[in-house]
Amino acid sequence: MNRVRDPFNLYNRPGTIAAINILRATATTAAVEIRDRAEKAAAVAQAAAKSADWHQAASRAAELAEQAAERTRDAVGAVAEAAEAAAKEVERALDQGFQLSTNEEDLEQGAGLLPLLPAAAEQEEEEEEDTEQMAFSVPRHVPSFTDPARQAEDRLWAAATRQRAGPSSGVLGGVQDKVGGFLNPDRRSLPMYKDKPYGYGPGGGRPRPLLRKKRVLGFLTLVILGLLWMTGFFDEHHERARAKLGDWGWLSSDMKRGGKADWMKRRERVVEAMELSWDAYERYAWGYDEFHPMSKTGRNMAPKGLGWIIIDSLDTLMIMNLTSRVTHAREWISKSLTWDQDQDVNTFETTIRMLGGLLSAYYLSTEYPNLAPISDDDVGAPGEDLYLEKARDLADRLMSAFDTPSGIPYASVNLGKFQGLPSHADNGASSTAEATTLQLEFKYLANLTGEKDFWDRSEKVMQVLDDNQAPDGLVPIYIQPSTGHFHTQNIRLGSRGDSYYEYLIKQFLQTKKAEPIYQEMWNDALQGIRKHLVTYTENSGFTIVGERPSGLDNHLSPKMDHLVCFLPGTIALAATEGLSEREARKKPGFWNKQREADMQLARELMQTCWGMYRYMATGLAAEITYFKIPSDPLPASNTHTPPPDSIFDDPLGPDATWRKDFEVHQFDSHNLQRPETVESLFYMYRITGEVKYREWGWEMFKSFVNYTAVEDGGGFTSLSNANKIPPVMKDNMESFWMAETLKYFYLLFSPEDLLPLDKVVFNTEAHPLPVFEVGRLLRTGWVRKPRTGTTGAGASGAA
């Protein structure tokens, strides 16, 4: 059994043992008296039963009952009179206020009067008339407020409950200070709620005044709770679910040292947010695929669970060096995780989260053994290849999605049946982004295992898609697995389109630039983005990336998903190829006007994404933002001067001119804890070295903490409406909150040598995978068809 806890320091408080002895002695005396009177009652009953003359026994019993009733009436009257007098005394004392003694002599005097208690009790017992014939005897006297024993109790408890800092005046303040002083002599007030910003939510943070008549009840309640805690009534996870984020006072602090921001301390706040998030999940929904922080429940997406949150968060725990939590997660993966389930899963989501998470965990555990070190995964240990074995098993099942006439994978897979399943919507079409965001994971797995099939089948997707020769490298968001042709003409860089472009440049970097075909595809796509999708807002000239929902020849919609905010970071990554901007500029024959222009576009889009956060009341961006643009949209080639960053500090507040360029519809105002903006901030800081990107990230992180934290150690949740204060909460923690958002915050505030960009590539779920060299068997096995020209809108990009 665990050591008995004593959070209130009861055993070490002077006089506590003496007070407990008083209560124990009083209870014992009462118990003895009740027993004696019961025995007397039993004797009378037996005498009556043995009486030969039952009439005489009945008469005697009636007489005894009458005497008892008379004495009861007398006692009740006396008690009522005494109670009324006592109430007046208490009321007078409350009105005048009271002070408790601060002398240690009080405890000694109170303890010295303890021997008087038995004597006083004996004297009172002698004064009571003892009637042999009665079944019980009602005391004639009510408790005396002037009795020496009563005075001893009063002085003892008064001294025990005083506050070391000195007496307090006033009824309300006195009661609170005295209770707080007894429970913890070093605390001047009751502890503040730790898991929510002070003063936030209904009723604010100010404690309600205690009713005078309830102070004794409140004191007893605290004592009982303390005793329950000491006996281990509450389980250990209750402690773990409380955040170190404490009283949230750092939210209003710049955390600066010597005039400069202390980024290591800020990073530590991110670690604490991760601990709170993980511990809340661990306490309330361990093993479940979904976590609902407000209702504190979980739900599985498969009968035995898929490890959706555990595996997705695993490498974040490793990077943050949270060893005990990694150990718990690894234990679940080893003992509870199985892919042999009759369950349909999304091919893309399962690949980027589960396969990517396991491969990243394997990479970190082998290449960075000092991050959350565990002996089970050391070289030669029985569990050395646990992550790789689980990844291989899952990959074999996911490969069934590629069993299509064209090679374009189906949208879903039944894990237990090894069966690919076409989408139930969109005439069976697969999402373009989903079909083309599997390659980093399967290529790395092929490199680890030597299984060329993983490489070939995932790479085949890129060839089939490129053979469509999409105009200017911009692909529609659906493609048919049966034919390999695009379905619909909707073109956007938001949902179902985004990560296709992301994986182009990352495939190039993953193999140490051994596959220039993907860099060529990226350059074509970026040129198309400039030509057809980039324009500027009407009032302040923000740079945005719009959509062409009806194809390149039709109107430009000024709509940006939050998902599009992956783009500035990816553009910067492509421009420098993982180097810092300073290093790239010095590299002979490397830097040119095109890379310079790309970095400028990245900076302008990063500013717009930051504005999406600044526009919202909570400081957290909406899922979708619309922008005000001219009826004839300006092309990217138009002479353009972006607004200064200081525009967001306009003193006009809600009436600031820049706000007229932003619009959020009611049903788009939710915030799902998405990582894309902080992801780009991470890339932009690593590449440019400009501290403003760190500062923007810090402001974002504080907004997440301030407005998405859940009461009672529930962690953090999504928001249904991020444009209201207090916000409307959604009661769902997305797995990418821990897998991506908190990871990118941590890396943003970390030194640049942690997971450097020229050594790793992050998959679209932020799982770091290594840059590696490939042999001849794993090189790109296809060649692009000659371009037949482009169609669509002209260079102006006009609607």
Side-chain angles (χ1 to χ4, degrees), residues 256-478:
K256 292 185 176 181
R257 181 176 57 185
K260 294 184 179 180
D262 191 336
W263 293 107
M264 296 305 289
K265 282 189 176 181
R266 291 183 174 184
R267 187 178 78 164
E268 185 61 27
R269 300 289 82 78
V270 179
V271 176
E272 291 165 359
M274 179 66 185
E275 290 175 326
L276 173 58
S277 302
W278 176 266
D279 292 351
Y281 165 73
E282 192 176 45
R283 171 173 170 76
Y284 299 114
W286 179 247
Y288 286 103
D289 300 320
E290 297 178 8
F291 175 41
H292 307 292
M294 298 178 68
S295 57
K296 295 178 175 56
T297 59
R299 190 180 75 87
N300 269 333
M301 298 186 296
K304 299 179 182 179
L306 300 173
W308 208 251
I309 292 178
I310 294 175
I311 296 175
D312 215 9
S313 308
L314 182 58
D315 58 2
T316 304
L317 297 173
M318 289 180 168
I319 293 170
M320 294 184 180
N321 210 29
L322 301 175
T323 308
S324 63
R325 293 166 176 83
V326 173
T327 301
H328 195 195
R330 180 183 172 85
E331 180 183 11
W332 187 91
I333 293 171
S334 175
K335 297 181 179 180
S336 301
L337 177 63
T338 176
W339 305 119
D340 191 16
Q341 303 185 61
D342 184 8
Q343 180 65 44
D344 298 344
V345 299
N346 180 275
T347 305
F348 160 75
E349 297 287 359
T350 306
T351 298
I352 65 169
R353 302 190 195 211
M354 301 299 96
L355 182 60
L358 289 168
L359 291 174
S360 178
Y362 176 77
Y363 164 62
L364 293 176
S365 65
T366 54
E367 297 298 323
Y368 295 88
N370 293 327
L371 290 177
I374 298 176
S375 59
D376 288 348
D377 58 19
D378 290 346
V379 177
E384 175 185 1
D385 294 328
L386 171 66
Y387 302 132
L388 183 58
E389 290 170 356
K390 292 292 185 180
R392 171 65 187 271
D393 184 12
L394 176 60
D396 287 338
R397 300 168 191 271
L398 291 173
M399 288 300 289
S400 58
F402 295 87
D403 294 333
T404 67
S406 68
I408 297 295
Y410 286 125
S412 300
V413 170
N414 185 290
L415 292 176
K417 297 179 180 180
F418 289 76
Q419 179 182 2
L421 302 169
S423 172
H424 298 299
D426 306 304
N427 295 321
S430 295
S431 162
T432 301
E434 293 181 358
T436 57
T437 311
L438 314 170
Q439 286 66 34
L440 294 182
E441 296 80 4
F442 280 105
K443 284 186 172 182
Y444 177 48
L445 182 61
N447 185 68
L448 288 174
T449 63
E451 294 290 337
K452 190 172 182 291
D453 192 48
F454 291 137
W455 182 288
D456 291 343
R457 301 184 79 179
S458 62
E459 186 182 62
K460 175 70 173 178
V461 178
M462 306 304 300
Q463 179 182 4
V464 172
L465 183 141
D466 193 63
D467 284 348
N468 282 270
Q469 297 197 17
D472 295 323
L474 300 180
V475 297
I477 62 174
Y478 290 104

Side-chain angles (χ1 to χ4, degrees), residues 42-64:
V44 172
Q46 291 176 1
K50 294 179 181 180
S51 174
D53 189 351
W54 64 273
H55 292 286
Q56 182 179 359
S59 176
R60 180 57 177 164
E63 181 180 353
L64 291 175

Side-chain angles (χ1 to χ4, degrees), residues 203-225:
R206 301 180 64 181
R208 294 182 178 179
L210 297 175
L211 297 178
R212 294 175 179 176
K213 296 182 180 179
K214 292 185 178 180
R215 72 177 189 273
V216 176
L217 178 60
F219 171 77
L220 293 177
T221 301
L222 290 173
V223 171
I224 292 172
L225 290 175

